Amino acid sequence: MMYFPNIPMIPYEGPNSTNPLAFKFYNPDQIVAGKPMKEHLPFAMAWWHNLCAGGTDMFGRDTADKSFGAEKGTMAHAKAKVDAGFEFMQKLGIQYFCFHDVDIVPEADDIKETNRRLDEISDYILEKMKETGIKCLWGTANMFGNPRFMNGAGSTNSADVFCFAAAQVKKALDITVKLGGKGYVFWGGREGYETLLNTDVKFEQENIAALMKMAVKYGRSIGFKGDFYIEPKPKEPMKHQYDFDAATAIGFLRQYGLDKDFKMNIEANHATLAGHTFQHDLRISAINGMLGSIDANQGDYLLGWDTDEFPFNVYETTMCMYEVLKAGGLTGGFNFDAKNRRPSYTMEDMFHAYILGMDAFALGLLKAARIIEDGRIDGFIADRYASYNSGIGAKIRSGEATLEELAAYAEAMGAPELPGSGRQEYLECIVNNILFT
Ligand code: XUL
Ligand code: CO
C-alpha cells in the first residue's frame, strides 16, 4: 500500500525549476568541498513530528490526519507509520531517521507490555531498513510526556520515577543498538526546575549524571560504540533547564567525567532560545571537540518559544555549514526536529517542508564552501591576531610569559596603538556578496 500515492520520487531539478515537488539545490551526488552533498548532509527524519504530530496546540486539536489509515493507539497504526515513514524517506532520498520509544509504539500501562511492543516494532523497522538501506541516526527515550515525569526523570524527587526512567533508557538503548543507531540522545525534557523553594539543584544534577553514567556503562556493555549526546535547551517546558546551552552542558559533562562518551546535539531553535545564535552553540561545541549532531530547525524571532519551524533562513544555514565544514563534518547528522505550521495540514505539505529544509541546508553548504574558498573572511581573522605570531605575542601564546615581564614590556612601550578595526560591515558585505551571487 502507498501512503503518498500522489507524490513521486523527488528529483533535483536545479534553481530554475518551478516544480514544487523538486529540489532546487539539494543535488545528492554533486561534489562540494571534495565530497558529495549527501555525505556532507546526512539528513534524518524525526519520527515524532513527521509521523505522529498532527498540529495539536494549546488552543486546538489536530489539523493534520496522521492515522495513515489505521486506528491510533494500535500496533496496526504503529506499523502503518513505519510503512509511511519509509515511503516518505525513500521519496525524498533521506538516509536516516530518529525516534523516541513512544513515537514508534503506543505506550501501554505496563512497561513489560510496552517493551514487548518495542521488540515487535523494531523487528519490523529492521526489515524495512534492510529493504531500503535507510539507517537509524539516533534513538532516545521520552521521559517528559507522561505525568510521572512532571518533576523530571534523572532530576525527579521520586526514586521510583528515577527507576522507571532508568528502565526506559535501558530499553531505548537496546532498541537503538538493535537498529544500529549512530547515537543516543538525552534531551533534558523536564530536567530543570520551576522554583528553588522546593528544589535541591546539586542533588538533582548529581542524579542526572548518575543516570547518564549508568547509561554509558550499560550501552558500552551491549556493544554501543556510538556517541551519547546532550541536546541543550535553556527553558520550555521548565523555567530553568540544567542543560541551558552548549557551554553549560559541556561544563556539566566535564564535572562528572562524562566528556569522553558524550557530544552535543545542537538544535538551532534551542540555541536561539538561550539568547545565542545557532552558529555560536555550534562553535562552542566544535572548539571543545564535542560537535556531534544537529537538530535542524529554526525559531521565530517574533515569538520566542520553541516553534520548531523548518529552516528556510539561508544566512543561518550558511553559518551552520561554515562551522560544520570547519569542524571536518559531524559524527551524527541533520535531524529535522521541525514541524509543519498548523494550517499546512496536507500530505503534500510534509514533502514541501522537507524540500524547504533540505534545500536550505544544501544552499547553505554551497555558500559556506564558497566563503571558505574565497578566503577573505578566514584571512581577515588570521590577520586580526597577527600580533601573536612573533615577539611578545608569540611568547604569550607559548605560555612562557610572566606577568612581570609583560608589565615591563608595557612600561617600556608606553601606550599601545588601537587594536585595529574589526571591519564588521565590510565582512558582512562579503557574506552578502557570496550569498546573493
Ligand atoms: C524538544 C526537542 C526534542 C528532542 C528529543 O525541544 O528538541 O524533540 O530533540 O527528545
Ligand atoms: Co530536538
Side-chain angles (χ1 to χ4, degrees), residues 48-49 100 138 140-141 144 185-187 231 233 236 265 267 270 295 297 306 308 335 337:
W48 53 103
H49 283 310
H100 301 81
W138 53 256
T140 188
F144 43 87
V185 164
F186 281 89
W187 166 55
E231 182 178 321
K233 185 175 184 180
E236 200 200 347
N265 180 38
E267 177 163 326
H270 295 179
D295 267 14
N297 65 12
D306 195 13
D308 281 347
N335 166 47
D337 192 356

Side-chain angles (χ1 to χ4, degrees), residues 374 376-377 425-435:
D374 174 273
R376 276 175 291 172
I377 294 200
E425 298 77 6
Y426 157 70
L427 297 166
E428 286 166 346
C429 281
I430 295 177
V431 173
N432 274 0
N433 232 256
I434 292 175
L435 278 182

Side-chain angles (χ1 to χ4, degrees), residues 14-62:
N16 296 326
S17 165
T18 55
N19 176 1
L21 292 173
F23 293 116
K24 318 298 181 298
F25 301 102
Y26 182 59
N27 184 11
D29 295 317
Q30 185 180 329
I31 304 292
V32 185
K35 60 180 185 185
M37 256 192 197
K38 63 174 182 235
E39 287 178 28
H40 284 286
L41 297 168
F43 289 127
M45 177 193 75
W47 211 275
W48 53 103
H49 283 310
N50 206 46
L51 303 174
C52 308
T56 291
D57 69 11
M58 306 272 261
F59 302 98
R61 55 182 187 270
D62 279 1

Side-chain angles (χ1 to χ4, degrees), residues 235-307:
K235 56 189 165 198
E236 200 200 347
M238 302 307 256
K239 181 157 71 172
H240 301 272
Q241 295 211 186
Y242 295 131
D243 301 327
F244 187 92
D245 61 359
T248 311
I250 291 166
F252 171 87
L253 291 172
R254 293 224 172 102
Q255 182 179 357
Y256 293 104
L258 289 157
D259 48 310
K260 299 287 173 289
D261 293 284
F262 274 79
K263 288 191 165 70
M264 294 295 114
N265 180 38
I266 297 299
E267 177 163 326
N269 202 169
H270 295 179
T272 50
L273 277 176
H276 302 308
T277 59
F278 182 22
Q279 187 183 8
H280 170 90
D281 255 22
L282 295 169
R283 176 74 61 93
I284 295 299
S285 306
I287 62 175
N288 284 286
M290 286 200 199
L291 179 54
S293 205
I294 285 177
D295 267 14
N297 65 12
Q298 70 177 53
D300 185 317
Y301 293 114
L302 298 182
L303 296 178
W305 65 83
D306 195 13
T307 56

